[in-house]
Amino acid sequence: MINYSRTNFRLQNDIAVISFDIVNFTPITVTPSKATVNPCLILALSRKEAYKFWQVDTKSGHHVLIRGPYLVRNVELDFLRNTVHIRGDLEEATTIEVFAPLKHFKITFNGKSCKHTYVTEWGSVAVTVNGPPLFIELPSLKGLKSIPITVPSESSLSFDDSKWIICDKQTSFMQSSKFELPILFCDDYGFHNGHINYRGSFISTGFETGLTIEADGGEHYILGVWLNGIHLGNVHDRSKPITLSFSRPVKGSACVIYILIDHMGRDDDWHADHKDYKNYRGLRSVRLCGEATEIKWKIQGSLGGEELIDPVRGVYNVGGLLGERLGLYLPEAPVSDKVSIEQPGYRWFGMDFVLHVSDEVDAAVSFCVNTPEEEKLWEARKEFRLQFYINGWLLGRYVSNLGPQSKFPIPNGILDTNGVNRIIVVVWNIDSDIDVNHIGDYVKLETSKIVVY
């Protein structure tokens, strides 16, 4: 006998074939005609409903079937107390239904006894449980304050580059069809990722009118150029030389060229006999226009180069930005309203915030870039670049005209969900219309998933 009206039954070669229509969750009890044979319970499920079920093997060797929770971590059967102990996660208020080799049993969930359990007509035990809070209170990032950098600008003559590495190598490990001496490739000087800085010094003859640059920082890189603190322009092209013009300096005056490269990584190596991963990064050549004046170059990348200063956070956590070398990404960096000495390229902002999340709640928090003109920026190829740190960890980099990612998850553990956190946001506004002084209007924290466990 079958207790479900929308069912067809037939015998085929002594095999019972049952066909039925499924409406989400449909329990079907099959009672054999012989009283000595136990009834059989069939659970007919839609695919969507099947995702709500968990089959768990207990330590005692029994099988338990559970419907409802977002995740079931562990199940124990207590035959002495006639109880099923469940540990798991919930993302919303739900009904937990348990099929177990016990009768009229009690249920505990995450160590708490569940009241108001009831036995269903097909023999399982069910109970309704509360879910997590609907939202977690997160701070507004409009409180981001400028982090002052009080050393002279790297693009100025007064900047102290005495600890930078002199570019004097005559041979290279990198792959390039041509190069000029001395070698300027960043990898030959121990800098393999992050932002790369160059300072080139020369004494003007009074006839220099510009400079021609050949460089490669990887796909979608950018290179900024300054002469004596004046911004000459930016370069994206990695296929041909680019010339930037400037007014002739005074004859006999000391001049400095500052170049900042956003290194975007190595080339993929798709062929066994190719060595694309060895393609050079950094500058290939820089020539002054109007007069072949000699330029003396120095280079600086991440602090310590191949000798990691911070081995815990790892090689990709920081690059060669001045703020990174000064440790401004660390939680103990000063945040104040002091006026910073204007620096080329990036601006630094930071703030502290406190979270109070229950130990029983797992909230997935993300950092989001939320520019109201995001589609316009994409269509017009307007560009700004942003990276952010949580408690000293680099967790995301954003390029407005590249995308598509604008939401970056923050792992719990790095984020202290019951304590003080430091967020650092670093911005280079290249040609977009955003107001960098109010960067907090364009970024926010949000939760994407909240579960209770």
Side-chain angles (χ1 to χ4, degrees):
M1 183 178 68
I2 301 174
N3 73 331
Y4 186 53
S5 59
R6 301 166 67 180
T7 306
N8 294 315
F9 175 86
R10 61 189 171 87
L11 284 173
Q12 180 176 328
N13 299 327
D14 294 328
I15 298 175
V17 179
I18 304 172
S19 58
F20 41 79
D21 296 331
I22 297 175
V23 181
N24 291 329
F25 170 55
T26 306
I28 301 171
T29 302
V30 180
T31 305
S33 57
K34 294 182 180 181
T36 56
V37 180
N38 291 326
C40 174
L41 177 63
I42 299 174
L43 301 181
L45 310 172
S46 65
R47 181 182 294 273
K48 181 179 180 181
E49 195 67 24
Y51 290 146
K52 300 178 181 179
F53 275 79
W54 300 88
Q55 179 182 313
V56 183
D57 297 331
T58 67
K59 292 180 179 179
S60 59
H62 296 86
H63 306 296
V64 177
L65 194 61
I66 299 175
R67 175 189 181 216
Y70 173 73
L71 174 66
V72 173
R73 298 176 181 271
N74 184 52
V75 176
E76 293 182 6
L77 298 180
D78 187 341
F79 289 91
L80 183 63
R81 295 177 177 81
N82 198 37
T83 303
V84 177
H85 302 284
I86 305 170
R87 299 204 69 85
D89 298 357
L90 300 171
E91 64 174 339
E92 60 185 357
T94 190
T95 297
I96 297 176
E97 185 173 355
V98 182
F99 299 81
L102 296 170
K103 289 186 178 181
H104 307 291
F105 51 86
K106 293 176 286 187
I107 298 174
T108 70
F109 190 79
N110 291 339
K112 297 179 181 179
S113 179
C114 297
K115 300 180 180 179
H116 310 299
T117 59
Y118 59 92
V119 179
T120 66
E121 59 183 281
W122 43 86
S124 62
V125 175
V127 64
T128 299
V129 292
N130 295 323
L134 296 179
F135 68 94
I136 299 296
E137 186 175 349
L138 296 173
S140 166
L141 297 185
K142 292 186 178 182
L144 284 166
K145 295 181 179 180
S146 175
I147 299 179
I149 298 179
T150 55
V151 301
S153 164
E154 290 171 299
S155 63
S156 68
L157 286 165
S158 59
F159 180 79
D160 181 8
D161 62 8
S162 59
K163 294 183 179 180
W164 288 31
I165 296 176
I166 297 173
C167 297
D168 57 2
K169 294 186 179 294
Q170 304 297 304
T171 59
S172 174
F173 294 103
M174 307 311 295
Q175 179 171 274
S176 176
S177 58
K178 62 178 181 177
F179 53 84
E180 297 182 4
L181 298 178
I183 297 295
L184 299 177
F185 305 153
C186 60
D187 292 278
D188 290 308
Y189 297 94
F191 305 119
H192 308 293
N193 62 278
H195 294 81
I196 309 297
N197 308 269
Y198 292 88
R199 279 172 57 92
S201 303
F202 67 94
I203 302 299
S204 174
T205 63
F207 294 101
E208 297 85 4
T209 58
L211 66 160
T212 299
I213 300 173
E214 282 188 88
D216 192 352
E219 196 74 23
H220 306 297
Y221 89 107
I222 188 171
L223 174 154
V225 186
W226 289 259
L227 176 67
N228 295 340
I230 299 173
H231 185 222
L232 302 182
N234 302 313
V235 176
H236 288 84
D237 202 311
R238 56 189 301 211
S239 62
K240 64 180 184 293
I242 299 295
T243 298
L244 300 172
S245 300
F246 54 77
S247 300
R248 294 182 180 183
V250 175
K251 181 179 180 180
S253 63
C255 299
V256 63
I257 303 165
Y258 172 65
I259 296 177
L260 173 64
I261 299 178
D262 188 355
H263 189 322
M264 297 294 283
R266 313 228 67 84
D267 291 326
D268 290 327
D269 197 357
W270 294 105
H271 305 279
D273 57 343
H274 288 190
K275 294 184 178 179
D276 292 346
Y277 67 93
K278 292 187 69 175
N279 289 344
Y280 84 93
R281 290 293 180 262
L283 298 177
R284 173 185 274 171
S285 69
V286 180
R287 300 178 183 177
L288 289 166
C289 304
E291 186 80 7
T293 309
E294 180 185 6
I295 307 173
K296 296 181 178 179
W297 288 100
K298 289 186 175 183
I299 186 173
Q300 179 64 58
S302 57
L303 190 64
E306 294 174 345
E307 300 295 327
L308 291 183
I309 301 299
D310 187 350
V312 174
R313 293 186 177 96
V315 63
Y316 291 109
N317 195 65
V318 292
L321 291 177
L322 177 59
E324 290 174 311
R325 304 197 313 271
L326 293 174
L328 300 187
Y329 65 96
L330 296 170
E332 56 269 23
V335 175
S336 71
D337 292 322
K338 291 181 180 179
V339 177
S340 174
I341 294 177
E342 186 173 349
Q343 302 291 329
Y346 286 86
R347 294 274 306 279
W348 287 71
F349 301 87
M351 65 175 279
D352 293 331
F353 62 91
V354 180
L355 294 180
H356 298 289
V357 181
S358 168
D359 291 338
E360 296 178 346
V361 173
D362 182 6
V365 179
S366 296
F367 173 89
C368 302
V369 182
N370 184 34
T371 56
E373 302 293 323
E374 193 160 353
E375 285 193 18
K376 281 187 181 180
L377 287 170
W378 173 256
E379 292 169 4
R381 292 296 188 265
K382 294 289 186 179
E383 182 177 2
F384 72 93
R385 298 190 173 215
L386 176 152
Q387 61 191 54
F388 79 99
Y389 299 82
I390 297 289
N391 296 328
W393 293 82
L394 175 63
L395 294 180
R397 300 182 67 191
Y398 174 82
V399 181
S400 63
N401 63 345
L402 178 60
Q405 185 174 3
S406 59
K407 186 175 184 178
F408 303 87
I410 305 172
N412 288 344
I414 290 178
L415 182 70
D416 186 348
T417 54
N418 264 301
V420 180
N421 296 271
R422 168 69 61 88
I423 182 170
I424 302 294
V425 179
V426 191
V427 188
W428 184 1
N429 187 19
I430 294 157
D431 59 7
S432 79
D433 299 324
I434 69 165
D435 182 357
V436 177
N437 292 316
H438 296 90
I439 190 61
D441 293 341
Y442 307 98
V443 294
K444 64 179 180 179
L445 297 175
E446 70 175 34
T447 54
S448 55
K449 175 78 74 174
I450 304 174
V451 298
V452 64
Y453 58 88

